[in-house]
Structures are given as C-alpha cells and as structure tokens.
Amino acid sequence: MTWHTHIGDRILTGIEAEVYLIAMQHAIDYLEDAIEYDDDFDVKTYDRIFDLASFDQKILLLHTCLSALLKPDVKILELSNVLEAAAYFPFAFLRRRIAEEIELSQGDWLDEEDDEELGYFYRRLVWKAFEEYVLPNWKATEEEYGVDEDEAAFNDRSNNLELWDEVIEELIDRIFWDRDWMVTWTSPRVLDGIEDEISEPLGLEDYFTNRLPKVSAEESATALAEIRNWKLDDNHKK
C-alpha cells in the first residue's frame, strides 16, 4: 500500500487506475506543449509552490506521485502540499479539458468527423469512473431523497459542467482527505511557518514546504518517458 488515501492505504486499481493514468499521460503532453509553444499554464492546482515549479520539477513530482499511486512496492510517502498538488494535477487537467469540450460542442468548432473523437473524449473517460464509483452514491441518494432531474438527465455527452465538476470532486475525495495544499495560494504566509497552535490540531506541522527537488534534464526526460510508456499490470485489476 503506497498512498494514504481517504479510503485507506492503497494503490489505485481497476477503472480508477486506468482513468488516472490516462489523465496523467495527457497532462504531461499538455505541459510539454505549453513549453514548446511558450504558453502560460492554465491548469492550476492552487498550490503556490507546485504551480510555479519548472517543467522538469513538475515532471519529476508527477512521476513520484504516479509511482506511489500505482506501484505496490513503493513506500508510503510523507505527504506535503507539493506532493498532494502534483497528485491532484491530473484532476485539475480533466476539469479544464471537460470545460473546453463543452465550450467546443456548443459552437461550430468541430466538424462531424472530429465530433466523436475530440468532442467527448474526456467526458467519456470520466464517465467510466462515474459509473463505477459515483453513480452508486447518486442512486442511494435518489432512494432516500427522490430523483434529481439534472442528475437523471446526466450522460456521457452532457454539457452540464456543474455536474461534471461534482463527479470529479467525488473522484478526488477517494484519494484526498481535504484540499490543504490550496491554503498556500490564499494564505502564502504558511510557507514561512505555521504557528504550533494552528498546525498541531490540524496535523499540518510537517506538511507545508517551499522546497522543490533539484532535477537534471536527464532525470526529467527519464521520468517523462516512463510516464508516457506506463502500462497497467495485473496488480491493478480488481
């Protein structure tokens, strides 16, 4: 077991592992394209340190998190704002891409040939995880409180961004206990040291860091290639 998740010390398996890996692989392509075309990163984790890290540093951190979430022989990591932000990054990427898909589908940006391939890729990816992990919760709520019309109409082609965000939030909650890393964005002073009377009750005394790993171009290239070529094995089957 290699990650202290909200539902236990575990690695990701099944559809959860598949969706997370695909999101991570697409996210690193996005980061690489942003460097190549000199674009500002528009996918934010809202951890001040991770979001301001270099490309090479981000790749190494993403590789570290992917290893911890998918490899059963990796030691459980001591979590920090930077590591949790890196682990969250693929979800932030999915949010952004689904929002873009919806925007494109509501205009005349795609022709019929591209529509199925480009217009719904990320929604259908998240839908797989939705059916497995989120839909049962919705059905249980429906039995107790009645049918929600918006949820009843939800499908893998839905343009309801609010519901897609809700689905992604529920998937995030399967891994993360909270969103402590985002505190560095709204209250950057925590990076200078958090007072004991605040940090100790919250268990955050050793959580916040402003340190980033030193990474060579060769280390980054190796990590990038490993993420891109990563395959799931029998450890990830339910």
Side-chain angles (χ1 to χ4, degrees):
M1 304 298 181
T2 59
W3 195 279
H4 186 50
T5 77
H6 194 197
I7 58 175
D9 294 345
R10 64 192 182 98
I11 62 168
L12 305 186
T13 59
I15 292 172
E16 189 175 23
E18 177 187 348
V19 170
Y20 189 83
L21 175 59
I22 292 172
M24 179 71 83
Q25 290 171 329
H26 283 229
I28 63 167
D29 287 343
Y30 151 78
L31 287 174
E32 197 168 44
D33 287 345
I35 290 293
E36 181 178 352
Y37 296 108
D38 197 27
D39 287 341
D40 289 334
F41 297 133
D42 60 354
V43 175
K44 303 295 185 185
T45 68
Y46 296 101
D47 174 65
R48 188 172 295 272
I49 303 304
F50 179 84
D51 287 344
L52 294 177
S54 70
F55 172 79
D56 290 337
Q57 289 168 329
K58 285 180 177 177
I59 293 300
L60 187 65
L61 288 164
L62 293 171
H63 181 272
T64 298
C65 291
L66 189 64
S67 298
L69 283 164
L70 295 184
K71 286 186 174 182
D73 57 344
V74 173
K75 182 180 178 181
I76 291 179
L77 296 176
E78 191 71 33
L79 297 180
S80 69
N81 54 297
V82 175
L83 278 175
E84 286 205 293
Y88 167 76
F89 185 75
F91 293 109
F93 172 81
L94 286 174
R95 287 183 190 275
R96 177 64 179 173
R97 288 299 172 258
I98 287 177
E100 289 179 350
E101 281 187 356
I102 291 172
E103 183 179 354
L104 288 172
S105 67
Q106 292 175 332
D108 297 324
W109 303 97
L110 299 174
D111 57 34
E112 290 186 7
E113 184 175 333
D114 290 333
D115 184 58
E116 291 300 313
E117 180 65 24
L118 300 179
Y120 300 96
F121 177 86
Y122 293 105
R123 278 175 281 185
R124 286 176 175 163
L125 177 65
V126 172
W127 181 263
K128 294 170 68 174
F130 163 76
E131 287 188 306
E132 182 74 14
Y133 307 109
V134 180
L135 183 57
N137 297 334
W138 284 18
K139 287 183 176 179
T141 301
E142 179 182 307
E143 289 177 3
E144 184 171 358
Y145 297 104
V147 176
D148 180 291
E149 292 184 3
D150 288 337
E151 291 182 0
F154 189 61
N155 57 64
D156 64 357
R157 301 170 69 93
S158 173
N159 287 338
N160 190 326
L161 182 56
E162 185 176 342
L163 281 184
W164 285 113
D165 279 343
E166 183 179 325
V167 169
I168 292 174
E169 277 296 315
E170 291 202 41
L171 296 176
I172 291 168
D173 285 340
R174 291 176 55 82
I175 297 176
F176 303 96
W177 291 80
D178 43 43
R179 310 290 187 270
D180 284 335
W181 68 88
M182 294 185 180
V183 174
T184 66
W185 194 267
T186 56
S187 302
R189 65 185 181 277
V190 302
L191 294 169
D192 297 324
I194 186 169
E195 296 179 2
D196 289 344
E197 60 267 27
I198 298 174
S199 65
E200 290 178 2
L202 297 176
L204 299 177
E205 57 268 27
D206 298 316
Y207 178 76
F208 291 108
T209 180
N210 56 15
R211 293 179 177 274
L212 286 166
K214 293 182 179 179
V215 187
S216 68
E218 291 77 13
E219 289 173 321
S220 173
T222 298
L224 185 66
E226 287 184 4
I227 295 173
R228 186 165 283 137
N229 295 310
W230 203 296
K231 306 292 184 185
L232 298 178
D233 57 27
D234 290 342
N235 289 319
H236 304 96
K237 296 179 180 178
K238 287 188 174 181

